[in-house]
Amino acid sequence: MSTALPWHKRLRNSVISGTVWGVVRLLRLVSAERAAEAGAFWAKLIGPRTSVHQRALRNLRRAYPEKTEAEREAIALGMWDNMGRVGGEFVHLDHIWQYNMWEPAKSRIEVSGATQFIAMRYDGKPALIFTAHLANWELPAIAAAAQGLDSAVLFRPPDNDFLAGLLLKQREQVMGNLVAASHVAVFELATVLDQGKHLGILVDQDRRGGPVVDFFGHPCTANPTIARLARLYECPVHGVRVIRLPGGRFRITCTPPLDLPRDTNGKIDVDASMQAITSVVEGWVREHPEQWTWFYRRWREP
């Protein structure tokens, strides 16, 4: 049976690919700061006029019923600002990292919890690191590679082959091992941990059939991969988040290892651990809601 896409989907993918190629070429001609500003301008102009914006507002009404519609609109507009900046910064991933531990005020990057990164680098043990789609979520993997942390990143490539190739090319230049999400990815992830490396996973998206967790007071499902690996390998689990600061700067924070819940046999409880991790992510989002991607289908529609 042929698996070729229908002609209209091939046409759509071609248009998207050509547009992205042109935009990338243009943004490479300017600095990362100017590219981010341009991305923010167009995202704020176009984003609120899409159906995706309405989904973001529905999610915001669910998460913040106490806020006014104007307040929720402001958060959604901030989200588009952040998304545009992420797009502009993406084409400059190969030189966006700028960190000087001796003069942090002059760096693009601030690091909080640096001792956690240092401990992971020298303890000779594997570790699991979770993050979320906050600010520029590419930076934790870049930080790990820049600081010499032997690491791998689980990522989900887009369906468009051109976009998938572009993402892979950009990330390969500045990140550790890249593991594409698939039905066999678990074997690659196990190999990473067997080798004593560190594995980064985004944990803030829905996963059908996953454990049910509470997020902003409503049930949703979570991807249990990180908790299952923690249970199997008994390795520490850290949270790493990025906060966007004024002036094109960022703060990266690493938590101490989480004390994950355990079952009556003393093994890490997968479902309870995913709730603990989800609660950490919720706390992050509540601090800077305009920097999270609210248009994901985090909760399934009733």
Side-chain angles (χ1 to χ4, degrees), residues 211 224-225 227-229 231 261 267-275:
T225 299
R228 288 175 177 172
L229 289 171
R231 179 183 174 93
K267 299 287 289 182
I268 287 175
D269 185 313
V270 171
D271 290 9
S273 293
M274 288 315 304
Q275 179 60 70

Side-chain angles (χ1 to χ4, degrees), residues 1-6:
M1 182 183 294
S2 173
T3 58
L5 290 173

Side-chain angles (χ1 to χ4, degrees), residues 128-140:
L128 292 157
I129 302 166
F130 67 89
T131 190
H133 290 88
L134 277 159
N136 190 324
W137 54 88
E138 305 279 357
L139 283 175

